[in-house]
Structure formats: C-alpha cells, structure tokens
Amino acid sequence: MAHQKSSYSDPTAQNTSHFANSGGAGVCMMSSTWRDEQHPSFINFISSFLSANSFRLNFVRIAPDLIFNCGGLSISFIFATNWNCDNIEPVFSRVKKLKEQFAHLYVVVSLPTRDQNDSFVRSYFKYSLELGRPTFVPVQDIEMGFEKIVKIAHSRGGIVLLYEARFSFHSGSLLYTRYSAACKQRDAISKMKTERQRSVQGMDIFLGVVTSIPSIDYHDANALNQAIGSIEAIAKASKEYILENTDLSADKAEMIVRFFRDPKFYLNPKIN
C-alpha cells in the first residue's frame, strides 16, 4: 500500500456520539505526526478497528507512534509502516532513545518483501540491540501489524480481544469475528507470565545447543534464530541457505552443516 502525506480529517468527526460512549477497553493515543504520514484509508481502518474493540481514539503530540492505556497500564508502540532499506538509521536511533523513556515499548515493523526482511535482520544485529528490549514484532502487512498491536495491548492490560477485524482495501469491507467473552484480569496476567517464562526457558535451551557448535557464538545463534528458526530447521538448512539468510561466514555455515550431518565430525571427541 502506498503511504502518502495528506490533509486528514478526523474519521470520528461524523460519529462523535458513538466514540464518546466507547473506550470501555481503554484509550488509544495516536501521534498526530505519525497519522499524517499514513494513507487516510489506513487511518479509517484503525478507527473502525478500535471502535469494534471498545477503544477510544485520541490524536495527540507524543513521542511514540501509539500509546494504549488499558487495565491500568500504558503500552507504547513504534509502528514502522514503510521500511526503507536505504535509510534505517533513524528508526533504530529512535528505538534506542524511546526504550529508555517508556518501560513497555514494542516495535512493530511491516516487512512485505524478502529484501525488506533481510534488511531488517541485518540491521537488528548491526545496531547491537539487547534481545527483547524492546520487543520487535515483524509483520507482513500494516493491517496485520495493527491487529498485533491491539492484541498486545489487550494482553498486557489483562483483557481478551472482543472482536477481530479483517479489512480489505479493495472491497472496503470490514468483517468482524466475535471472540470469547472477556476473561478475568488475573487469569490473563497469569497466562502471560507462564508463556513468557516458557519462552525464556526455550530460548536458553536454544542458545545452549547452538553455541555448543564450535566457533558459533551468541550473535550467530541469535542470527540463526531470527532467520531460520528452530534447532530442527537449522539442522536441515543447507550451507547455501544459511549464507543467504544470515551474516555468518562460509566457514561457520560449513561448521553448522557438518555438526548436524557428518557422523565423522559429531561422533569424534572434541578437545578445546
């Protein structure tokens, strides 16, 4: 979708009474600067999506692109809707600045093409960001990105998403699928803590296995995790695939392939 700056009229202006009564789930504050950089049809989609999920939308001057207040918690988002492979430095400079100012910050990045995805992976490690601080959420398109944002806000606020909206810019249709009724806040928080703990434990196991491969360090392990995925997927990956999708050297890619596939290599004792 093309992104363009344009004079923008508030999409809620024609439905003031509806939005005045909404906001049961919380409030979404949108940066007026970020709003003006988006296509008006995308802002209309956001407005409708928030309304369906009982969020009130306000346009204000804020440093992040979006801030959600729900369940007594504020969650901030940087939403990069147009990844420019030739000009990534401003994005990461902004991330490094805002992560020190906002405790609960997420970075959602729309990467519809393979070139953009490869650029993002290379840039993530180039700028030496601490894993998970902040959390990056790559998505294939901007609509999916905003749905992810609302789901994160609901989860952190301890509320289950009431509606899921799917929007088609071609037909202009907005379809709603009702989710289950809202669960109790403490149950949602407990589930989140459990899932986070499992995720951390799983990552520790992954790093332990991959860094046991000779010459593979934590940077290499994180690159493999981002670009290829599980240990099983890495074991099946060819040398060419590893070189194409990561910044690992040819020697390291060869070492990984030998580690998983060459019995003469992995059955022999290693003396460091």
Side-chain angles (χ1 to χ4, degrees):
M1 171 181 296
H3 299 277
Q4 63 182 31
K5 293 184 179 180
S6 61
S7 58
Y8 177 75
S9 59
D10 187 341
T12 67
Q14 296 179 351
N15 199 12
T16 305
S17 61
H18 173 77
F19 277 86
N21 295 326
S22 64
V27 178
C28 170
M29 292 181 289
M30 179 185 294
S31 164
S32 53
T33 300
W34 182 85
R35 175 200 64 189
D36 294 339
E37 294 172 350
Q38 312 305 314
H39 194 284
S41 58
F42 182 47
I43 301 300
N44 288 330
F45 160 71
I46 290 176
S47 175
S48 299
F49 191 96
L50 291 172
S51 174
N53 286 284
S54 301
F55 274 99
R56 186 170 69 253
L57 175 61
N58 293 334
F59 300 118
V60 293
R61 293 187 178 276
I62 51 175
D65 298 326
L66 300 156
I67 297 178
F68 281 75
N69 289 326
C70 56
L73 187 68
S74 291
I75 308 100
S76 305
F77 296 89
I78 294 174
F79 190 5
T81 56
N82 188 18
W83 182 265
N84 185 349
C85 300
D86 299 322
N87 188 29
I88 58 173
E89 196 277 334
V91 175
F92 285 94
S93 295
R94 187 170 175 232
V95 169
K96 288 186 175 181
K97 179 181 179 181
L98 293 184
K99 77 174 185 177
E100 303 300 331
Q101 301 176 11
F102 297 88
H104 306 289
L105 177 67
Y106 292 81
V107 183
V108 180
V109 186
S110 177
L111 304 168
T113 70
R114 181 168 184 172
D115 288 342
Q116 289 175 316
N117 185 74
D118 292 345
S119 168
F120 168 75
V121 172
R122 290 193 301 268
S123 303
Y124 183 87
F125 293 107
K126 174 183 176 181
Y127 285 90
S128 303
L129 292 170
E130 181 182 348
L131 190 65
R133 188 175 182 271
T135 299
F136 280 76
V137 184
V139 294
Q140 292 182 342
D141 56 66
I142 56 178
E143 301 89 0
M144 178 189 297
F146 193 76
E147 289 187 17
K148 291 281 188 182
I149 286 172
V150 176
K151 288 181 180 180
I152 291 170
H154 271 291
S155 297
R156 294 304 304 267
I159 306 170
V160 171
L161 192 62
L162 300 179
Y163 292 92
E164 180 183 39
R166 298 291 178 184
F167 187 81
S168 169
F169 284 111
H170 299 292
S171 63
S173 61
L174 186 61
L175 306 177
Y176 297 99
T177 303
R178 184 179 296 273
Y179 267 29
S180 58
C183 68
K184 294 181 180 179
Q185 181 173 354
R186 63 188 181 192
D187 293 338
I189 294 174
S190 175
K191 183 178 180 181
M192 269 196 61
K193 288 182 178 178
T194 301
E195 291 176 352
R196 189 182 302 116
Q197 185 177 12
R198 289 176 180 172
S199 176
V200 171
Q201 291 174 345
M203 191 61 185
D204 288 342
I205 294 171
F206 175 91
L207 292 173
V209 172
V210 178
T211 56
S212 68
I213 303 173
S215 78
I216 302 301
D217 56 24
Y218 282 96
H219 168 84
D220 301 326
N222 284 321
L224 290 164
N225 177 256
Q226 289 284 335
I228 300 177
S230 66
I231 295 173
E232 182 180 3
I234 295 170
K236 294 178 180 179
S238 65
K239 175 182 176 181
E240 292 73 20
Y241 187 85
I242 295 173
L243 290 174
E244 182 181 354
N245 291 276
T246 71
D247 61 353
L248 272 66
S249 67
D251 289 342
K252 288 187 175 183
E254 178 67 23
M255 182 67 71
I256 292 169
V257 173
R258 289 183 61 198
F259 181 87
F260 287 109
R261 301 185 187 179
D262 186 355
K264 294 180 180 179
F265 179 81
Y266 64 70
L267 293 180
N268 286 335
K270 306 296 185 301
I271 301 177
N272 296 325

